[in-house]
Amino acid sequence: MPVPTQELKLEIVNAATGQPLGAKATPAADGTLVVRDYPKDGPRPELWQFTPVPGPQDDPAYIIRNTAGGKVLDTPPAAGQGVRQSDASGKKGQQWRLVPVEGEAGLYFIEGAADGTVLDLDEPGKDDTRIVLGEYDDLAESQRWRFVPAEPERTSDLVLDWAPLSHWNSRQSWRLTHHKSALRPAPDATPSFSNVLLVLDRFGSDQDAGGWKPVSSSPCPAGQPGWWAGLGERFLADTTGTGIADIVGLKPAKGAVTSPSQGDGTFDDEERVLHPPVSSASPKDLWTLADLNGENRPGVVVLAAEGVRVSAQNEDGTFTPAGGELVLKAFGHGPQAGSWLADKHPRFLADTTGDGRLDVIGCHDDGLWVSLQDEEGKFAPLADEPVLRAFGHSEEAGGWLVDKHPRFLADTTGDGRLDIIGCHDDGLWVSLQDEEGAFAEPQYLLDDFGVDQGWSSIREHPRFVAATTSDGVPDIVGFGPQGVVVARGRGDGTFEPSQLVLNDYGQAQGWTGEKHPRLLADVTGDGNPDIVGFGNEGVWVSHNNGDGAFEQAQLVCRGFGYNDDAGAWRVDRHPRFLTDITGDGRVDIVGFGGPGVHVARNLHRRFRTR
């Protein structure tokens, strides 16, 4: 687990005993610390906070503070005595470095900054085991420590209900009780979104609403930038260039159909054909809508068997040609176009050079391939060799897997050209693009965000590249095993060491990929992405403070959640999106449920903590 930010509270647990660090059951006068068991009906283990000491960021030192009384972890006053907690004095003996245990994700040595000795266990005592300082021993499990975040502090109100009471004389009365442990938005923090409304009885998974379901399962969510949708899927896209999202669905018999937004949070009752099907249509085709040349008129782009087909949008809103023009004999799923497969080869539409036109980029078996779009809208044929023999599916190109190893395109240096970022088994890799369009050999930057550190899959642990502060430099944001992890971008193609910034939205807090979508979106309109999670009780949001730190989660909408009383939404049947459907510049919540399309409008209110 990455080192938590100083705002978070956590237990410090010894790997050998599984017991947390704290004071004795009967605290000693000298503040001696031990590891010990805590009975279920007794006081909870002590919680600690890590405050970085000003100094070099590559090898930071920390003050480790007990949240209960404010005392800090201190070295013994004399050799042979136990480690203690004392009043903060600023001396070197109260500063500690956290050294990751090689090959053991989430385990650390806690090293004294003064002399390089590490926290260890004394001989086990009758009740408590004293903490001492010892010399490094790579084989000593007693010198390894794990950090366990405290329970998240969420803002919400319990739902109250009347429960019937029966009496011996057959009379009945009622008492006020909690309603199945349900929650609702707190009144002083919300509603940030309106009540959930069914605005269209189409595009739903129920038979009466169209019986929509994906023809084939996609390894990556549809509707996200850089990804594609298959037949049977529904998503939201601006089909007209107005900035307001419309509903788009892909029907095997009709092609792409749409219900345009009315601009007030509702959609047209009648769906119309946006793009008719073609005779060669296949369940393997992947679709998207994109403004290819910066003219603000999105076109339909299909990755078909024979390659990339494009139907441009005319001024009257129609798309021609009807079957799409074959603009590139590559990146398609047929052998004549390279045999690109959705479960092996991610493909992107992105402006890689900063000229305002979208290019086609893909990771095949042997590495990275790029086709640039020129000023006339034509795409260059692929070269004989990939532009980079890395980030590919084969072992020779790295053994990258679609379901485990996310890959992103982002400008990490500010030069206007996109670089490649990938999360492999061992952590984070980056390849920078130079002025001539060549990509450098990938550099290994961080031992985090990878399978070896507990990030088992894309679905279980979503990861994003986004600027979380106003400096515009892309950061890595991920929903890891212990919560939300961020690695700040430095603006030079490298990243600072990752930090656990929020003890929520992770596996440890009960969030799973099978039940709970988690996204980044600016829900307040302040220009900074907030964390949005579709949990059991509804939609939770952690507001970005503007400096990349996030507040504790608040329940902002009593719907779109996994529990029955929050709508019983399911990941495999009910896609949910955050997008602007009113034109006010703030994202609304739109979900494709069983009966049809549900909407909760953004009410423009900034979140506040009580």
Side-chain angles (χ1 to χ4, degrees), residues 222-224 229 233-239 244-249 258-261 267 288-289 575-581 588-592 597-599:
Q224 290 194 22
E233 292 189 281
R234 297 144 290 166
F235 57 97
L236 291 150
D238 177 11
T239 65
I244 302 176
D246 309 304
I247 294 171
V248 179
T258 182
S259 286
S261 173
F267 301 89
T288 194
L289 276 84
R576 283 149 280 182
F577 300 92
L578 297 162
T579 190
D580 182 10
I581 58 173
D588 309 292
I589 305 172
V590 182
F592 297 91
V597 182
H598 296 74
V599 167

Side-chain angles (χ1 to χ4, degrees), residues 162-477:
W162 293 101
L165 296 174
S166 299
H167 300 276
W168 64 271
N169 58 1
S170 298
R171 294 182 58 189
Q172 280 193 323
S173 61
W174 289 262
R175 66 181 175 87
L176 201 60
T177 184
H178 300 321
H179 177 60
K180 299 179 182 179
S181 300
L183 300 174
R184 66 183 176 193
D188 59 348
T190 53
S192 299
F193 288 86
S194 69
N195 292 331
V196 180
L197 299 175
L198 178 65
V199 299
L200 187 63
D201 56 359
R202 296 176 180 271
F203 296 96
S205 59
D206 294 348
Q207 288 301 315
D208 292 343
W212 285 77
K213 62 180 180 180
V215 173
S216 60
S217 59
S218 173
C220 301
Q224 290 194 22
W227 301 108
W228 307 76
L231 292 179
E233 292 189 281
R234 297 144 290 166
F235 57 97
L236 291 150
D238 177 11
T239 65
T240 60
T242 62
I244 302 176
D246 309 304
I247 294 171
V248 179
L250 302 177
K251 281 188 173 181
K254 290 187 176 181
V257 298
T258 182
S259 286
S261 173
Q262 307 233 23
D264 58 358
T266 64
F267 301 89
D268 284 353
D269 290 336
E270 296 297 325
E271 64 185 43
R272 65 178 179 86
V273 175
L274 185 71
H275 186 279
V278 296
S279 58
S280 60
S282 166
K284 295 181 180 180
D285 292 350
L286 297 176
W287 299 58
T288 194
L289 276 84
D291 181 9
L292 292 173
N293 51 22
E295 294 181 354
N296 210 30
R297 287 204 299 268
V300 175
V301 183
V302 182
L303 301 179
E306 62 273 27
V308 181
R309 304 190 71 91
V310 172
S311 293
Q313 185 175 173
N314 301 320
E315 293 185 1
D316 60 0
T318 60
F319 292 83
T320 55
E325 177 187 357
L326 183 63
V327 298
L328 185 61
K329 295 180 180 180
F331 298 104
H333 54 82
Q336 68 272 35
S339 298
W340 291 73
L341 304 177
D343 59 351
K344 290 184 178 181
H345 310 130
R347 284 151 285 178
F348 306 86
L349 283 174
D351 178 9
T352 62
T353 61
D355 61 2
R357 294 183 293 273
L358 299 186
D359 312 304
V360 187
I361 308 97
C363 301
H364 206 282
D365 290 338
D366 50 359
L368 186 76
W369 295 82
V370 176
S371 172
L372 300 180
Q373 183 186 181
D374 62 21
E375 294 180 357
E376 298 179 355
K378 296 181 179 180
F379 290 87
L382 296 188
D384 294 333
E385 298 288 333
V387 298
L388 181 65
R389 290 193 177 274
F391 298 100
H393 181 78
S394 69
E395 289 298 326
E396 293 76 13
W400 292 74
L401 305 178
V402 164
D403 60 340
K404 290 186 176 181
H405 306 136
R407 281 150 281 182
F408 308 93
L409 297 169
D411 180 8
T412 64
T413 62
D415 63 357
R417 290 180 173 269
L418 299 186
D419 312 304
I420 306 169
I421 303 170
C423 305
H424 207 286
D425 289 345
D426 52 358
L428 189 73
W429 292 79
V430 173
S431 172
L432 301 181
Q433 183 186 181
D434 63 21
E435 294 180 356
E436 298 179 355
F439 288 86
E441 282 298 310
Q443 298 294 313
Y444 178 65
L445 296 184
L446 291 177
D447 57 346
D448 203 358
F449 302 104
V451 175
D452 293 347
Q453 295 85 37
W455 303 71
S456 58
S457 69
I458 289 179
R459 183 176 185 180
E460 192 64 40
H461 300 293
R463 278 146 280 182
F464 301 89
V465 177
T468 62
T469 62
S470 57
D471 62 6
V473 176
D475 309 310
I476 312 295
V477 183

Side-chain angles (χ1 to χ4, degrees), residues 60-74:
Y62 296 87
I63 303 295
I64 303 178
R65 190 181 307 276
N66 191 323
T67 61
K71 294 184 180 295
V72 302
L73 194 67
D74 199 354

